[in-house]
Amino acid sequence: MSASPTYPVPEGFAEQAHIDAAAYEALYQRSIAEPEAFWAEQADAFLTWDTRWDKVREFDFHKGSARWFAGGKLNVAYNCIDRHLARRGDQVAIIWEGDEPTDDRSITYRELHDAVCRLANVLRERGVKKGDRVCIYMPMIPEAAYAMLACARIGAVHSVVFGGFSPEALKDRILDCDCQVLITADEGVRGGKTIPLKHNADRALAACPDLHTCVVVKRTGGAVEWQEGRDVWYGEAVAAAAADCAPESMDAEDPLFILYTSGSTGKPKGVLHTTGGYLLQTAMTHKYVFDYHDGDIYWCTADVGWVTGHSYIVYGPLANGAITLMFEGVPTYPTASRCWDVVDKHGVQIFYTAPTAIRALMGAGDEPVTGTSRQSLKLLGTVGEPINPEAWEWYYRVVGDSRCPIVDTWWQTETGGHMLTPLPGATALKPGSATLPFFGVEPVLLDADGAEIEGPGSGNLAIKASWPSQIRTVYGDHQRLVDTYFSAFPGYYFTGDGARRDEDGYYWITGRVDDVLNVSGHRMGTAEVESALVLHEKVAEAAVVGYPHDIKGQGIYCYVTLMSGETPSDELKQELVGMCVREIGPIAKPDIIQWAPGLPKTRSGKIMRRILRKVAANELENLGDTSTLADPSVVDQLIDSRANR
Ligand code: 6R9
């Protein structure tokens, strides 16, 4: 592995970059040695405060507590919009590219201000106050960003639910944090197909009696059902609302949003982020990691339903007064050239996407790429899962014409912003490595006993001290935060990822070490899929593992044991697939279902997933120790029953 190629910072890049190698070294050292002074300077440089803070940071990793800029006051929407108006009111804030290539529009900062104020007033009129939760279930249209910013403006806490989630998943998330208002659209459009968002919402809301207002954006004009009193057309409501709305001055530690994410156990957790530290880290990383310069056109292909969309489509870029491109469609519609057509059409400089998209496009060959110009591009980025070196090389050579650095950014919903990442003017790149820590981030590798590994080696990736955009709590269940992140290795934040550190101190993420799958960059707990499967009356037991998948990174492999007397059939398989899609959403569609007469269990009844993973990956030579199994013959049965999949 030490022989992996290194790509130096391209000639000329460092000179124009915000941060070169010397600056990275000096600033990183300072950020660790004098964190309070360092972060105070950054908070002054990046944000506009109503009231200065009293204390920069306080944290206790034994209790899982962290507070940044306590006593400071600011408003996120003011920072993302109002303060830019004097200088760039007429500059574009959001370029929207619709699903069809003929469909686009541009929204200036002044127009953004107008739209956000009006929607904020609509929410206020419907009784939404500071601290109230608002659910957002939207396609990728500018109104999704307006909705987030309108909440931020009045101090409401948004909970964005990915538009691909099922009514069942939406209902759970609305109930968990007691949302009283939902903002949605009639239908979404992706890859030429419509998604019945309002219909899904109606089904979810049937079980949410406390939700009193559903604001509906007209995206397609498709037929929808209507509940008088509860449902409100967005267009009519904002037209009638005032275009001015005073921003609520929020405490730096007031909640900004909740975003649900999967863990290894139980239902998804509501990750809570607060105001000051979150905005600082997303703004700062957006500027330095993407080397963003005024006027650059920046495109992150994520969905606002995920943290990447929150931090790097909406909050980070807008805090910096950037031009952020929002894309409604998919990379392969109408053709595999779509991304590069969009790059050429809008003159995109910075392009940020996920390895799964890169692999899918790579599978379509070079031609759809080389037929386009891409001369505007200067930087590429990736996020969501480890990128295999072949995909990295292809991205670098074919998409970036061997000109553009690639920033491989490692971070999590819980970290809020980038944690391990190259800075393009400072860091030599190694394909597949997320390289080095961002300012203020202190990564460590821990062995199984929790001891820090020095120098090159592999272990559990943990973080030693708080960073500004750290998760503050799991909504409604602080103990779950402590149990999940701060208990395995007392005194550290445990990421759930494994990593290797090489002789240059570079980090290589090896993937999750817990029961969390990463399917096309989407996190999913194996427990969630198992719960969906066992809802079927014919299923006795189910165990789900990930297995290597060429495009998705990981595929979903389900072992299913039927109730005695039940017979396996393809029809039943289809019912089980349908069950997962209905309970969670299309992203949870199993790739393989294997009928298993029994599951490998220890004598205490714990399923040995290690063995299931090996069988799923076809690594049969090396199953490891099976002597602790209650019934070792189960393994042979499993191997034999692979034919039944
Ligand atoms: C931002 C985001 C987090 C998990 C994380 C890790 C994986 C993300 C990565 C990466 C290797 C990268 N991950 N970025 N693995 N290299 N550059 O994806 O958040 O959805 O919470 O997922 O994704 O396993 O723990 P989230």
Side-chain angles (χ1 to χ4, degrees), residues 599-611 623-635:
L599 294 172
K601 290 187 190 163
T602 61
R603 282 181 205 105
S604 61
K606 234 175 152 289
I607 295 178
M608 285 183 78
R609 289 167 187 281
R610 175 173 57 79
I611 293 174
L623 289 176
D625 182 12
T626 53
S627 63
T628 56
L629 288 173
D631 175 8
S633 73
V634 168
V635 177

Side-chain angles (χ1 to χ4, degrees), residues 435-585:
T435 75
L436 299 169
F438 187 70
F439 302 131
V441 175
E442 292 182 71
V444 291
L445 297 180
L446 303 176
D447 67 19
D449 300 324
E452 287 187 22
I453 296 166
E454 303 292 334
S458 294
N460 298 296
L461 179 63
I463 314 286
K464 216 172 160 157
S466 183
W467 61 97
S469 58
Q470 182 193 316
I471 178 177
R472 295 302 195 267
T473 194
V474 170
Y475 187 81
D477 195 352
H478 192 74
Q479 190 56 41
R480 199 164 167 206
L481 175 98
V482 176
D483 294 345
T484 310
Y485 307 103
F486 298 99
S487 296
F489 303 105
Y492 298 92
Y493 167 84
F494 176 46
T495 65
D497 281 328
R500 181 169 71 81
R501 188 170 46 222
D502 71 15
E503 54 293 340
D504 296 320
Y506 277 39
Y507 288 85
W508 300 73
I509 305 296
T510 49
R512 303 288 305 194
V513 296
D514 54 11
D515 292 323
V516 172
L517 306 180
N518 193 327
V519 181
S520 299
H522 302 320
R523 266 169 77 166
M524 212 175 309
T526 52
E528 286 170 74
V529 185
E530 288 161 4
S531 314
L533 292 167
V534 297
L535 285 176
H536 198 289
E537 55 181 16
K538 294 184 179 165
V539 172
E541 202 170 24
V544 172
V545 296
Y547 74 103
H549 187 288
D550 284 349
I551 305 284
K552 300 181 185 180
Q554 275 189 313
I556 304 179
Y557 196 114
C558 311
Y559 295 90
V560 175
T561 309
L562 295 177
M563 295 285 190
S564 64
E566 298 296 345
T567 24
S569 68
D570 283 345
E571 206 184 338
L572 184 50
K573 260 189 199 177
Q574 285 320 309
E575 284 173 29
L576 293 179
V577 168
M579 208 87 201
C580 296
V581 172
R582 205 158 43 250
E583 286 299 306
I584 305 167

